[in-house]
């Protein structure tokens, strides 16, 4: 009589899951890409700077000292001072916090609207789809930044109003993309099986379709945050965003315009910060697209 390993008390090692090593392998391959690694480094550095800014030993970014105005870089002021004698390096670091928080809040607002409209339009079709897409087409007829400028002007100056203005107009393109993805997903076999089992429309949308389109949504969000940062900085540059003395990169650019000839670093430094932030998020978004888009993975094989 044959005795099994379990009967004699010997534990056989479990077979490792196949999906997990493949997933880890894709992440490792992704991080070995120079562009993605650079994007991750830039994004993590900016996030850390924004997180630790309130507890850092840096000078108060709003403290005015006219005796120290327009100073060149020195040991006391690593990147010099602005026209009000405020430490430029401290304002850049604290500006990262303001800019990234505003961009993250704007992204959450715009993607929430886009996902809601796209899912409802794509799943139900009929007159809801026609009505929602009519609104989307109407908003797409206007340039997003011009429309955000009009909304921000109507709401009045302030970082919160700029956040609302950009979030209220930036969702339209994504809503159309998410609608197209949902149109394909609602014809899949798992949706038909869920309907046959008596699942409600709400359950099908939230528990079945939404998780299956999460990958493209993450890719859209990661690629879009750079444009949102540019939009917020642009509106702040025009005086509609953060108001003095709040440190914010777009507002710092606006304050430095009269001193372009005498202190060009006051424009170059926040401009470079915006450039690096947008570059980092775009590079990281490209990497996430390669990882999460199944069509690209199939082509890579």
């Amino acid at each position: 009589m044959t005795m099994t390993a379990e009967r004699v008390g010997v534990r056989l090692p479990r077979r490792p899951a196949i999906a997990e090593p493949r997933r880890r392998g894709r992440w490792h391959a992704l991080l070995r890409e120079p562009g993605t690694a650079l994007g991750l480094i830039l994004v993590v550095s900016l996030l850390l700077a924004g997180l630790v800014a309130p507890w850092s030993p840096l000078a108060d970014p709003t403290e005015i000292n006219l005796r120290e105005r327009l100073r060149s870089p020195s040991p006391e002021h690593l990147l010099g001072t602005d026209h009000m004698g405020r430490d430029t390096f401290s304002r850049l670091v604290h500006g990262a916090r303001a800019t990234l928080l505003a961009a993250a809040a704007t992204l959450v607002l715009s993607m929430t609207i886009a996902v809601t409209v796209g899912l409802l339009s794509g799943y139900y079709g009929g007159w809801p789809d026609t009505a929602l897409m009519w609104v989307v087409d109407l908003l797409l007829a206007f340039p997003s930044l011009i429309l955000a400028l009009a909304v921000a002007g109507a709401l009045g100056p302030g970082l919160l109003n700029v956040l609302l203005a950009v979030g209220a107009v930036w969702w339209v393109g994504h809503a159309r993309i998410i609608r197209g993805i949902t149109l394909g997903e609602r014809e899949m076999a798992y949706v038909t099986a869920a309907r046959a089992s008596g699942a409600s429309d709400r359950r099908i949308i939230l528990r079945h379709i939404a998780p299956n389109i999460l990958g493209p949504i993450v890719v859209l969000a990661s690629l879009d945050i750079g444009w949102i940062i540019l939009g917020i900085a642009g509106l702040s540059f025009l005086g509609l965003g953060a108001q003095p003395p709040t440190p914010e990169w777009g507002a710092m650019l606006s304050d430095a315009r009269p001193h372009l000839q005498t202190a060009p670093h006051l424009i170059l430094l926040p401009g470079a910060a915006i450039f690096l932030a947008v570059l980092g998020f775009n590079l990281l978004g490209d990497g996430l697209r390669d990882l999460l888009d199944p069509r690209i993975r199939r082509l890579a094989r």
Side-chain angles (χ1 to χ4, degrees):
M1 183 174 62
T2 305
M3 298 183 65
T4 63
E6 289 80 1
R7 292 181 61 183
V8 298
V10 178
R11 293 184 178 180
L12 296 176
R14 293 182 179 180
R15 294 183 62 187
I18 297 176
E20 187 65 24
R22 286 180 178 175
R23 190 178 297 113
R24 290 179 180 177
R26 289 200 300 267
W27 276 106
H28 291 162
L30 179 66
L31 293 177
R32 283 197 295 268
E33 292 291 332
T36 305
L38 176 60
L40 183 61
I41 292 172
L42 291 174
V43 169
V44 171
S45 300
L46 290 171
L47 292 177
L48 289 177
L51 288 174
V52 304
W55 301 278
S56 65
L58 298 175
D60 185 351
T62 62
E63 182 180 359
I64 296 175
N65 185 358
L66 296 179
R67 295 180 180 178
E68 298 290 329
R69 64 188 303 269
L70 299 178
R71 294 285 187 180
S72 301
S74 64
E76 293 79 13
H77 304 286
L78 295 178
L79 298 178
T81 59
D82 65 2
H83 64 292
M84 302 295 288
R86 296 170 297 197
D87 187 85
T88 304
F89 180 70
S90 178
R91 289 181 64 79
L92 279 176
V93 174
H94 285 80
R97 180 181 180 86
T99 300
L100 293 178
L101 283 177
T106 303
L107 182 67
V108 170
L109 175 61
S110 63
M111 292 306 296
T112 299
I113 300 174
V115 170
T116 302
V117 172
L119 280 173
L120 294 178
S121 179
Y123 180 78
Y124 287 107
W127 71 263
D129 181 30
T130 302
L132 291 172
M133 288 302 104
W134 182 85
V135 174
V136 169
D137 291 338
L138 179 64
L139 293 176
L140 283 174
F142 300 93
S144 297
L145 191 57
I146 302 300
L147 190 57
L149 179 62
V151 175
L155 294 176
L159 194 57
L160 178 60
N161 290 339
V162 164
L163 184 157
L164 295 174
V166 177
V169 303
W170 220 266
W171 59 271
V172 288
H174 295 333
R176 180 169 286 280
I177 295 174
I178 295 171
R179 169 188 175 268
I181 299 173
T182 305
L183 284 173
E185 291 294 323
R186 74 175 185 178
E187 305 299 330
M188 300 296 288
Y190 71 88
V191 176
T192 304
R195 287 200 191 99
S197 66
S200 63
D201 290 341
R202 178 181 178 182
R203 182 178 179 84
I204 292 174
I205 292 174
L206 297 179
R207 298 292 299 274
H208 297 283
I209 295 180
N212 281 284
I213 66 172
L214 184 60
I217 291 174
V218 172
V219 172
L220 286 174
S222 63
L223 290 173
D224 204 45
I225 192 168
W227 290 104
I228 291 176
I229 290 175
L230 285 175
I232 293 174
L235 293 177
S236 294
F237 179 79
L238 295 175
L240 295 173
Q243 299 300 300
T246 303
E248 196 273 335
W249 292 340
M252 292 175 66
L253 284 173
S254 181
D255 291 341
R257 282 183 300 170
H259 310 284
L260 178 60
Q261 300 296 328
T262 56
H265 65 282
L266 294 179
I267 281 186
L268 294 177
L269 292 174
I274 295 172
F275 167 76
L276 291 176
V278 174
L279 176 65
F281 281 108
N282 285 346
L283 291 175
L284 186 60
D286 285 339
L288 290 176
R289 180 191 59 191
D290 296 343
L291 178 70
L292 298 176
D293 194 330
R295 293 171 298 179
I296 294 179
R297 290 207 302 269
R298 285 197 295 268
L299 290 175
R301 292 174 187 172

